[in-house]
Amino acid sequence: STWLVPKDLRRMAVVTSFTPMYLPYWTFASTAAAEWKAQVGRTETYRSGGKTKRRTVWRWENGQVVQDFSDLLVRGTNHVSLHLLAEVGEFELDALVPYEAKFLAGMQAQAYEVGMESAWKVARKDMREETKQKCRSQASTNKIRNFSMHLDFKDESWRYILLPVYINTYRFENKPYQLLINGQSGEIAGQRPADWRKIGLVAAGLVLPGILLFLFLLLFFPDLFGSGGGFWSFVIFLGGMLIAIGIALQAQKLDKI
């Protein structure tokens, strides 16, 4: 995918030293107890007028789910790309140790910007959604309507932790881009600008042959156009369009914030 980035970036791609840093996170634990009910549909066949027909019969079902959550991680920083934080992978939270000042030697530690209450709302939303999916999975079929759930949280606890990363920020055309390394696993993630002018030219080169062939056959060889040429020109156009969309989506991931 290096051809997707500007040539000037490849010439200047000298990464300065990374800054070791602890990023703030919150972890949450809780037990979610839910009761649910919903109408669940089953498809039945029946005979009417000498024909076999189908209909959906709806019946009420209900159930209970108890889901334990442990060390649900919520970021406490707004200064590092959320996309990059997800890309560098998971941290080994079992390796956490109690805080000691010596751990900060040679390291920066960022203070949290997302407060505990705000982070807890995010954690509860994630817990609620996962519990909801567990409830829905108990239904006897996947045809569900009028779903409702009553949810209680208990045994709630939280921790404020610092997790190690190495971070570098560089600028290209006055726009900042970040590189990030997981301080435990060494997993790397980074942002790169995409050369959209080059991508546009490539996309045009992929799509134009199908359009030109379509018009050429339509104007100069209408008989050939009607006997299958029009169909194949459309296939060529559609194939080029799909490839162009795939390239655009890949390029979009490069500089995703």
Side-chain angles (χ1 to χ4, degrees), residues 22-25 96 99 104 108-112 160-164:
Y22 284 111
L23 293 182
Y25 280 86
L96 288 172
Y99 170 80
L104 296 182
Q108 297 182 24
Q110 187 181 101
Y112 68 83
Y160 176 62
I161 63 176
L162 299 173
L163 295 176

Side-chain angles (χ1 to χ4, degrees), residues 64-83:
Q64 297 178 337
V65 166
V66 176
Q67 177 74 15
D68 291 322
F69 294 94
S70 177
D71 281 334
L72 185 65
L73 205 60
V74 179
R75 67 189 178 103
T77 176
N78 289 322
H79 274 70
V80 180
S81 162
L82 181 60
H83 174 68

Side-chain angles (χ1 to χ4, degrees), residues 26-205:
W26 303 94
T27 73
F28 298 93
S30 182
T31 297
E35 296 180 353
W36 66 273
K37 66 177 181 178
Q39 285 184 296
V40 179
R42 288 183 175 276
T43 302
E44 296 183 353
T45 58
Y46 65 99
R47 299 285 295 179
S48 177
K51 296 182 179 179
T52 300
K53 298 183 178 180
R54 293 184 177 183
R55 63 187 174 192
T56 299
V57 178
W58 297 94
R59 295 186 177 90
W60 284 99
E61 293 185 4
N62 59 75
Q64 297 178 337
V65 166
V66 176
Q67 177 74 15
D68 291 322
F69 294 94
S70 177
D71 281 334
L72 185 65
L73 205 60
V74 179
R75 67 189 178 103
T77 176
N78 289 322
H79 274 70
V80 180
S81 162
L82 181 60
H83 174 68
L84 292 188
L85 289 175
E87 287 291 312
V88 294
E90 298 180 354
F91 290 89
E92 299 177 12
L93 299 184
D94 291 340
L96 288 172
V97 295
Y99 170 80
E100 292 185 30
K102 64 181 181 180
F103 295 143
L104 296 182
M107 298 274 288
Q108 297 182 24
Q110 187 181 101
Y112 68 83
E113 299 160 307
V114 179
M116 194 271 288
E117 289 297 331
S118 297
W120 184 220
K121 289 180 181 178
V122 174
R124 277 185 171 173
K125 181 179 178 181
D126 292 343
M127 293 178 186
R128 184 177 292 107
E129 184 59 32
E130 185 172 336
T131 305
K132 178 181 177 181
Q133 294 306 316
K134 286 287 182 68
C135 290
R136 293 178 68 93
S137 69
Q138 287 186 347
S140 56
T141 75
N142 58 6
K143 290 183 178 180
I144 300 173
R145 70 182 187 184
N146 296 326
F147 176 88
S148 64
M149 178 181 71
H150 177 73
L151 177 62
D152 285 323
F153 292 105
K154 61 181 181 179
D155 300 327
E156 298 171 335
S157 64
W158 58 271
R159 292 188 294 175
Y160 176 62
I161 63 176
L162 299 173
L163 295 176
V165 299
Y166 294 85
I167 190 169
N168 174 272
T169 300
Y170 69 95
R171 302 189 71 85
F172 182 77
E173 295 182 349
N174 295 321
K175 183 179 179 181
Y177 295 89
Q178 290 182 335
L179 303 174
L180 200 65
I181 301 177
N182 185 313
Q184 285 183 323
S185 67
E187 193 75 25
I188 302 174
Q191 299 165 325
R192 290 178 290 173
D195 190 339
W196 289 104
R197 180 177 176 275
K198 183 191 300 181
I199 293 166
L201 292 174
V202 171

